[in-house]
Structures are given as C-alpha cells and as structure tokens.
Amino acid sequence: MIEYWQPGKLQITPRPALLDSFIEMRTTPGCSFGAEDPSSTPSVATSAPDTPLLSAYEACAAHTQRGELAVSEAGIFWLQTDPAEGCNTLRHLSDQGPARLGPKNLGIRSRVNGYGGGALAASDTGIFVVGEDQQIRFVGLEGDTCTPLTDDPDSAFGGLVADPARQRVLAVREADGGQQLVAVSPDGELRVLHCGLDFYSAPAVSADGRQMAWVSWQLPDMPWVRSQLWTADVNDDGDLYQCRHWPTPSEASIQQPVFDCTRLWALSDHGGWWQPWYLDTLTGDGRWHSGQSAALDHANAPWQLGESHHCPLGKGVWARVHYRNGTGELWLEPSQGGDGMRIARDFSDFRYLRASNGYFYCVARSATRLDTVLEIDPETGQALALAGGEEPMPGLRVSLPLDIEVPAFNHGEQPIHGFFYTPRLATSELPPLILVAHGGPTSAAYPVFNPQVQYWCQRGFSVAEVNYRGSSGFGRAFRLALEGRWGEVDVEDMERAADHLASFGLVDRHRVFIQGRSSGGYTALMAMIRSRKFAAGASMFGVTDPLRLRALTHRFESGYLDWLLGPPDTYPERWRDRTPLYHADRIAAPMIFFQGGKDKVVVPEQTRAMIGAMKAAGRAPELHWFEQEGHGFRHQANQAGMLEWMFSFYRKHSRKANERAENLS
C-alpha cells in the first residue's frame, strides 16, 4: 500500500487490481469485447448513453507531470509541468504541503544537447536552477528570492549537481560548438574544471569533496553506444588534478557515477546490461567489480542529463531500478549481491532516486495515477506519497496496460515486448488498433498513464505501444540491433506486433493504423511504404529525409543518423531505399501529418517536402500546421486540436477500411 501525504493526516489508498477479464482477453482467441452496443457505428464503437466521454481538451488537461527531483537539508524540490501553463515550474514540500517556489515568471528548462535535463540542484540553503534563458540562478527559500549567477547569453547550462563542500554548483556548459565541465560559485564566478572532450554528463562529487567523477563521449558516438568514466582529485582551490579515465573490460556505455565511501559505482553495460559496477578509487588498480545485481537494465537511454536510477542508502544497502520487459521495478538490495526486496509495487517506472536523512525519494509513475513524489523508509520499504498521485480522470475508468510478447524470428533472439490497451466501450465487433511507434528511436514505451491512449480507448480503439528492436531497457544487444537497420527492423517488429494481436482475435486486422512522433513518425512512414497492412498512418513532426536532416541536425545527434543507417558515402543505396521522401508514390493508404513551424529538431521543411512529393504522386495527404509550436507541442489547445483532427481522420478511414478490406493483406 501507498500512504498519501496530506497536511495533518494520512490517507491509505489500496493498490488497484488488474481486471481479470482483460488478462483472459489477452490469451483467448476470438474473445468478445462485451455486449453489443446498439449506438455503435459499423466501424468505431461509440459511447453508451450513460457513459461520459473524455474530450480531447480534458485528455490534454489531465497530464500534470513531475520530474527532476532534488533533496538536501533545505528540503525536497521538483519540477512540475501543468498543461495549462506549458512550462516547468519549481515546487517544494512546505509545511502546508506541496507549494510553488520562486518568482511566478520563472520557467525552468535546460536545452543542453537539445534535450536538457539536470535543470536544478539543491544546496543546504536553497536551490540552483536553469531558467528558460539557459542561465543559472539561485532560488532562496524565503521571499521568492531569485539571484542570477551567470550572464552568458551564448551559453546553455545543464546537468546541475551541488558541491556542498564548496557551496557551489557543478554544471555542463555548452557554448561555441563544444562543452565544458564547470563550477559556478554563489557570487557568480565561473571556473572551467575540464574541457577538451566532446560531451560531458553526470558530474558526481564524493562526500568529502576531494574527488569528482563524470562521464564523457566523443563524436560520432551517442552516449548509449560508447562512453567513458573519468575521475579526478580536487585540490583546496576546487580545481581538478590527476584526471584519468577508467577503461571497461569491453566496449560499453556508462552512466550515473555515484561515490559510496571509497568506492565509485556506475552503471555499465559491458556485461550486456546496464548493471551496477564499482571501482576502488583508493587502490586505483582499474578493476571493475560486479555489484551482483540482476541481469537486467538498471536505467534507460541517457537522452537527458541528471537521471538517477540507483542510490546508496548506507549500511551496504542500495535502492535500484530494474527494467523487466519494459516495466520499472524498485528494489532494495545489498551492494554485494544477495536477496533483495521489491517495494512500491503500485508503480511501474521510477526516476530521480535521491537519499537524505535516512530516507530516499523518487518520482514514481503508474498506469492509474499522475506522477508521484515518494518518500521511502529503507528499513521497512514503506512508501509515503508527498505530492501528486492524483486520479487523472475522476469518474472514468482507465484502460490498463497488458504485457504483450511477440515471439522472436530466429532462435536465440529476444522476443518483442509492448503494452496493449483495450477499448473502454462495449461492442460485438473486433476493435480497430492504433499501433504506436515510440520516438528516439533509442527510447522505450512504458506502462504508465498516458491521457492520449485513454482518449483512444474511450472512443472504441485498442492501442499497442511496441518496444521494437533498438529500444532501451532490454539489454545492450537488443538496443544496438538497430545499428544500420533503422527503417527495417523497427518496421518489421511493428508489423509483427499487429499480426500477433490479430492472430489472437483481439483486433480487426483490416483496421490497423500506425502513428509516431519524430523518429516514430519515420517508422510509421516506412511502414506505410513497405506494407499494405495499415489502413492509414499518422506522422507527428516525423523524419522524411534523413540525409537532409543529417546536414541540419544539432551537434548531439550529428553522428546518430550515420549509426542508424550507416555512412551515406558507404551505403548510398540504403539511404535512398530508406528515405520516405523518395518513395511517396508507394504510400497507397491515407496519411495525416502534424508539424510545428518552429521545430528545430525535425525542421518544418521535412514535412513540407513530403507533402509535396505525395501530392505530385497523386495522393491527398492531410496536413495540420501549428506555426508557433516546436518539436513536441506544448500548448494545450494545440495538443487537443491534434487529437480531434486525428480522431476524425481515423474514424473516416476506419469505415473505408471496412469497405475495402479485401484489398488489404
């Protein structure tokens, strides 16, 4: 059970039970989705008269998010994104409960590497933050004071970590096409601690302030392909000396270094999974020692700075996250292996693990509640919800995620996993399926509350989120299986997932739609080109011309496309074969596109060119343009508009798919 904190009292909320009928539905071919609803259309089920229907605006309003948790003697702090505001605001736990902190106009967001992260760090007297202008400020606890510490408009800062021994903050500084590891003092003095490497992340400082560690990587690598662990001693002036890196026994991606007494721990995948390993920094023999934890990924792909999926709790005990088939589990376990204890079972993903004063804290997510700030007693495993955990859609039953496993093609390969959501409406027909390709593509889908998924389920659609080959959370080999094969293995796995669900009689194979955002939009487009399985597709600011994007993309991803497709000079035919723009005439089924006019990741020209190519081929794609939006729509009205346009599109072509089912394979 989880206790929910309220000023002056505790409320006990029982763990929600999975619906047995859903479990049965997953394994029963030809099962029915309930009694026939006389008000349903021939193609998409509609709501019964007494059933409230979630509007697009309500769905978008129901997604308050919390993250970037920081703790210190000064308190507990986190970022909160409310849909109506569209920006991150600073919150803390006051004597009266969760409260906003800092000036009302203070938006917080780092843009280092384009994806940011690490935009706040707590000291003993307040909190360091990165504002929307990318400058570091110090926010005090009284009077909403906010003191600027940097004034460098040509720089961006992120990955903040407090250095309590020197009352300063460590940060990654991005400027002039490069990065540095820096320290900023309370009076605004900026000191460069280390430079010369292409990318920096995850600075960590020992308890006595005498040692520092960080992770770096070099172009053209991404941090989940190959990176290095570095350490240095810190002198009395706060400068670094005796800098060295620690080679792993084999090629590896390393993340999240943490000091625990004389040991430096990090998550490395040189053994096949992101698992805990430690180095003895006193002996300095360079040997990597296993933490004897489970053969599972203990973190996800480090797209953002500041992540923390493991945390020392003292007395040889650690809090660690395990990802099992896409679901996050929180464990208390001894540092040298042995029996651990799984805790907080009501939740399915955990981020930003932090320890303070005998407790540890995290942001937890679940399929039935909004993001929750948890305080956990490591002695008992008892979890107390300090903030969040709200019921997202009061009065409406949510569709719960069901695990799906698609058998592997070949012996020895891993199966494909994902999450399947059934419709909330009664109908005697098999429902249409919306197949969702997650972005990244080196990312993952998690079984956590997603209001847009619920919007579709409320309207009679089933939804499947697929962790295709290349997704993180399933080990190094599975993650790197996408190398040179983007637009091929991801598409194969999406098709296989649709076939698998249809073979069990869970969905109508003639009414399968595919959609994706960013790189997921690319996967959707390639699926529409390669296959006739899909009744229609949707691309939300998706990649259409990888070679053109390669010339325009930001520095962080400047080598990523070569990894995904191979160097274009070496594999020119592969690049041409996997460029949707060149094969627009092969898309026979309807397509809908959404694009922001200020997108700097997948620039607007990508969508404009694809629309032009499809029209030249005699197709009639739908385009919905949002001039003030960037990469990922932030304004609630625009998010709702996108859902409404997409529902109208799917409903229309669901009927057409029924009429021409014989033409679909």
Side-chain angles (χ1 to χ4, degrees):
M1 284 193 237
I2 301 299
E3 296 178 350
Y4 282 84
W5 186 93
Q6 293 183 2
K9 70 173 184 176
L10 294 177
Q11 177 183 356
I12 305 299
T13 301
R15 179 177 185 267
L18 289 176
L19 300 177
D20 292 338
S21 60
F22 279 4
I23 301 297
E24 181 181 357
M25 185 181 299
R26 177 188 171 212
T27 56
T28 306
C31 65
S32 170
F33 282 78
E36 182 174 359
D37 178 2
S39 66
S40 64
T41 69
S43 55
V44 179
T46 57
S47 151
D50 59 347
T51 302
L53 198 61
L54 182 71
S55 73
Y57 193 85
E58 289 170 333
C60 295
H63 205 197
T64 299
Q65 296 176 286
R66 298 172 178 92
E68 299 226 19
L69 182 72
V71 299
S72 71
E73 294 291 334
I76 302 161
F77 309 87
W78 64 92
L79 294 184
Q80 184 163 309
T81 305
D82 293 312
E85 295 188 59
C87 66
N88 298 324
T89 57
L90 179 62
R91 306 297 171 111
H92 75 131
L93 190 67
S94 71
D95 293 338
Q96 289 74 43
R100 190 163 179 167
L101 186 64
K104 290 186 178 180
N105 62 349
L106 178 62
I108 300 173
R109 181 186 299 269
S110 168
R111 301 189 186 278
V112 171
N113 295 332
Y115 299 97
L120 74 165
S123 77
D124 291 343
T125 57
I127 188 157
F128 300 96
V129 302
V130 177
E132 289 276 7
D133 62 358
Q134 300 309 291
Q135 301 305 297
I136 300 176
R137 294 169 169 79
F138 184 77
V139 179
L141 301 180
E142 302 295 335
D144 288 340
T145 59
C146 183
T147 306
L149 299 184
T150 61
D151 183 14
D152 188 359
D154 295 325
S155 296
F157 295 89
L160 303 188
V161 171
D163 183 1
R166 296 171 180 83
Q167 295 298 307
R168 64 182 183 177
V169 64
L170 311 177
V172 176
R173 175 178 180 258
E174 188 171 74
D176 301 323
Q179 291 187 354
Q180 302 166 325
L181 187 62
V182 302
V184 180
S185 67
D187 61 5
E189 178 192 359
L190 187 148
R191 179 175 301 188
V192 176
L193 300 178
H194 199 275
C195 60
L197 304 174
D198 286 341
F199 296 95
Y200 291 84
S201 73
V205 63
S206 61
D208 62 5
R210 308 304 300 181
Q211 288 184 294
M212 194 175 294
W214 67 90
V215 172
S216 73
W217 64 98
Q218 300 289 94
L219 290 171
D221 290 329
M222 299 300 287
W224 49 82
V225 175
R226 188 183 298 106
S227 58
Q228 292 182 323
L229 177 66
W230 285 74
T231 63
D233 294 332
V234 188
N235 65 21
D236 292 339
D237 293 329
D239 292 320
L240 307 187
Y241 67 101
Q242 293 186 351
C243 301
R244 62 172 293 187
H245 70 85
W246 301 77
T248 47
S250 58
E251 186 175 279
S253 163
I254 302 167
Q255 55 175 309
Q256 302 179 26
V258 178
F259 285 98
D260 185 28
C261 299
T262 63
R263 291 176 175 175
L264 173 61
W265 291 79
L267 301 177
S268 173
D269 68 355
H270 64 266
W273 306 86
W274 272 315
Q275 293 170 285
W277 296 79
Y278 71 87
L279 299 156
D280 192 322
T281 56
L282 286 182
T283 63
D285 61 6
R287 293 179 56 200
W288 288 76
H289 304 268
S290 172
Q292 303 298 319
S293 193
L296 296 166
D297 274 346
H298 288 56
N300 46 44
W303 280 93
Q304 292 186 307
L305 305 176
E307 293 274 18
S308 176
H309 291 85
H310 66 153
C311 178
L313 305 177
K315 301 179 182 179
V317 177
W318 282 71
R320 289 171 174 152
V321 180
H322 298 178
Y323 284 99
R324 192 185 309 273
N325 298 335
T327 297
E329 303 173 351
L330 185 58
W331 285 78
L332 298 176
E333 54 189 37
S335 60
Q336 292 302 311
D339 293 336
M341 176 175 68
R342 184 181 173 189
I343 60 175
R345 291 172 177 262
D346 293 346
F347 298 93
S348 51
D349 197 16
F350 303 87
R351 308 290 175 98
Y352 309 106
L353 276 60
R354 317 287 187 193
S356 180
N357 295 322
Y359 292 86
F360 77 96
Y361 305 84
C362 66
V363 175
R365 300 192 293 172
S366 84
T368 58
R369 292 191 175 273
L370 297 183
D371 297 347
T372 308
V373 177
L374 291 183
E375 176 187 80
I376 300 173
D377 183 346
E379 296 289 338
T380 64
Q382 182 69 32
L384 172 66
L386 301 178
E390 305 96 336
E391 184 181 356
M393 301 182 303
L396 292 177
R397 295 174 63 190
V398 300
S399 180
L400 299 177
L402 303 175
D403 292 341
I404 56 174
E405 180 177 295
V406 183
F409 262 151
N410 302 312
H411 179 72
E413 290 185 352
Q414 291 177 246
I416 306 304
H417 288 272
F419 302 101
F420 178 62
Y421 298 81
T422 59
R424 296 304 314 165
L425 298 177
T427 175
S428 60
E429 288 191 335
L430 291 179
L433 171 66
I434 298 175
L435 204 62
V436 180
H438 65 69
T442 310
S443 186
Y446 303 97
V448 298
F449 174 73
N450 182 335
Q452 296 195 12
V453 167
Q454 301 304 323
Y455 175 84
W456 298 121
C457 294
Q458 287 280 320
R459 280 159 174 73
F461 292 87
S462 55
V463 177
E465 298 182 309
V466 182
N467 283 319
Y468 48 78
R469 278 171 287 177
S471 302
S472 59
F474 301 86
R476 181 176 177 86
F478 191 88
R479 187 172 71 250
L480 300 190
L482 202 60
E483 182 178 9
R485 304 186 70 187
W486 190 37
E488 176 191 346
V489 298
D490 49 332
V491 172
E492 289 176 356
D493 293 347
M494 298 298 287
E495 290 179 305
R496 289 165 55 201
D499 288 343
H500 184 73
L501 292 168
S503 72
F504 278 91
L506 297 178
V507 299
D508 184 344
R509 69 173 63 250
H510 301 303
R511 294 188 291 159
V512 177
F513 305 94
I514 186 168
Q515 70 179 49
R517 297 167 177 257
S518 192
S519 71
Y522 170 87
T523 298
L525 282 166
M526 288 302 301
M528 296 293 288
I529 290 166
R530 291 167 53 101
S531 174
R532 292 295 178 265
K533 294 181 183 294
F534 303 106
S539 169
M540 288 153 274
F541 33 92
V543 177
T544 69
D545 186 351
L547 189 61
R548 179 64 176 162
L549 184 64
R550 180 179 183 267
L552 298 173
T553 193
H554 53 170
R555 181 171 172 268
F556 176 64
E557 295 185 74
S558 58
Y560 192 26
L561 286 162
D562 284 18
W563 184 85
L564 289 168
L565 294 172
D569 292 342
T570 306
Y571 301 100
E573 292 303 317
R574 180 188 297 171
W575 279 71
R576 183 166 188 84
D577 183 56
R578 298 189 200 159
T579 296
L581 181 64
Y582 298 154
H583 306 287
D585 60 326
R586 292 171 56 187
I587 299 178
M591 281 292 309
I592 188 170
F593 293 83
F594 298 89
Q595 179 65 49
K598 298 187 181 302
D599 194 334
K600 295 182 180 179
V601 178
V602 178
V603 295
E605 286 73 13
Q606 292 270 314
T607 296
R608 282 199 187 102
M610 190 69 192
I611 293 294
M614 290 188 70
K615 288 182 175 179
R619 308 295 187 257
E622 284 191 33
L623 171 63
H624 298 279
W625 194 270
F626 299 83
E627 183 57 38
Q628 299 305 313
E629 291 287 2
H631 194 68
F633 295 176
R634 296 178 62 182
H635 296 92
Q636 187 174 340
N638 292 341
Q639 294 171 353
M642 183 170 65
L643 277 181
E644 290 172 343
W645 280 113
M646 209 178 308
F647 173 58
S648 176
F649 175 80
Y650 285 157
R651 182 172 57 179
K652 176 173 64 176
H653 294 296
S654 182
R655 294 193 183 101
K656 288 185 177 180
N658 247 359
E659 295 166 4
R660 59 190 181 95
E662 67 277 3
N663 297 325
L664 299 175
S665 59

